[in-house]
Amino acid sequence: MPIFKNVTLASLDRDMVAGTLRPQRERVRTRRLMDGLAVKATGPDALTRTLSGGNQQKVALAKWLATDARVLLFDEPTQGLDVRAKADIHRIIHGLAEAGAAVLIVSSDLEEALGLAERVLVMHSGRLVAEFRDPPFEPEAVMEAITMGDQA
C-alpha cells in the first residue's frame, strides 16, 4: 500500500468529511508525520515496501502517532536496522518521552535498552526478577539479574 494508506489506517475517522474518506486529507496528514519523522520517500503515495527497513519502521510508528497515542509499546524497535536508522528511531523515542508520552520498550539488545531507559525491569518466566532506577545503569548488574533469572 502507499505510505499514506499505511499511516492513516488506524485513524481514518480523522480524514472523513460527512462520512466520506478524503484521500487528500490523508496525504496532507501523512506528509506532516513523514516530515516530523524524517521519512525518506518521494512522497505519501510511494509504496511502503519500496522503502528501507528504517523508513518502513518510521511509517509503522507514524501510524500510531497519527492516533495521538500517549502510551506506546515498542517491541524490538530497531531489530535488523542499520546504525543510522537505529539512531533515528532512538531520537524519535527520546522525543516522544520528552513530550510526555509513556514509552515502554521491549528489547533483547541490552545496550539499546540501557541507553533508552529511565527504568529497567528484568522479567523471567512472567515474573519480575529485578528493577533498576536512575540511569546510568551498570550493564554488569543488569546482565547479572538477567542470568540469575535463568536460575530462578
Side-chain angles (χ1 to χ4, degrees):
M1 289 192 308
I3 295 169
F4 82 91
K5 292 284 186 188
N6 276 290
V7 168
T8 61
L9 192 59
S11 56
L12 288 174
D13 59 319
R14 294 170 189 228
D15 300 311
M16 297 184 103
V17 176
T20 303
L21 188 59
R22 303 291 186 195
Q24 192 53 36
R25 287 178 68 150
E26 288 180 279
R27 285 180 180 89
V28 168
R29 197 158 56 99
T30 297
R31 172 51 78 187
R32 196 169 41 250
L33 285 160
M34 288 174 66
D35 290 346
L37 296 175
V39 175
K40 291 178 179 67
T42 57
D45 289 298
L47 296 177
T48 304
R49 66 181 153 88
T50 65
L51 304 178
S52 68
N55 284 301
Q56 287 181 18
Q57 190 77 329
K58 290 176 188 179
V59 168
L61 177 54
K63 178 191 314 184
W64 300 110
L65 294 180
T67 68
D68 293 327
R70 300 305 302 154
V71 178
L72 297 156
L73 170 63
F74 291 89
D75 186 2
E76 302 290 351
T78 62
Q79 187 174 35
L81 300 183
D82 63 38
V83 173
R84 183 180 176 106
K86 280 185 180 188
D88 285 347
I89 297 296
H90 289 173
R91 177 187 54 77
I92 292 164
I93 290 171
H94 277 294
L96 291 166
E98 288 174 5
V103 180
L104 292 92
I105 301 166
V106 177
S107 180
S108 57
D109 181 338
L110 184 59
E111 183 180 330
E112 174 175 73
L114 298 182
L116 289 171
E118 291 182 13
R119 188 169 109 184
V120 174
L121 303 175
V122 178
M123 310 263 319
H124 188 272
S125 298
R127 66 182 182 87
L128 181 65
V129 296
E131 178 177 356
F132 299 88
R133 295 177 180 259
D134 303 319
F137 303 106
E138 294 294 328
E140 297 80 15
V142 176
M143 185 55 79
E144 183 178 333
I146 292 168
T147 56
M148 292 301 289
D150 289 335
Q151 299 169 10

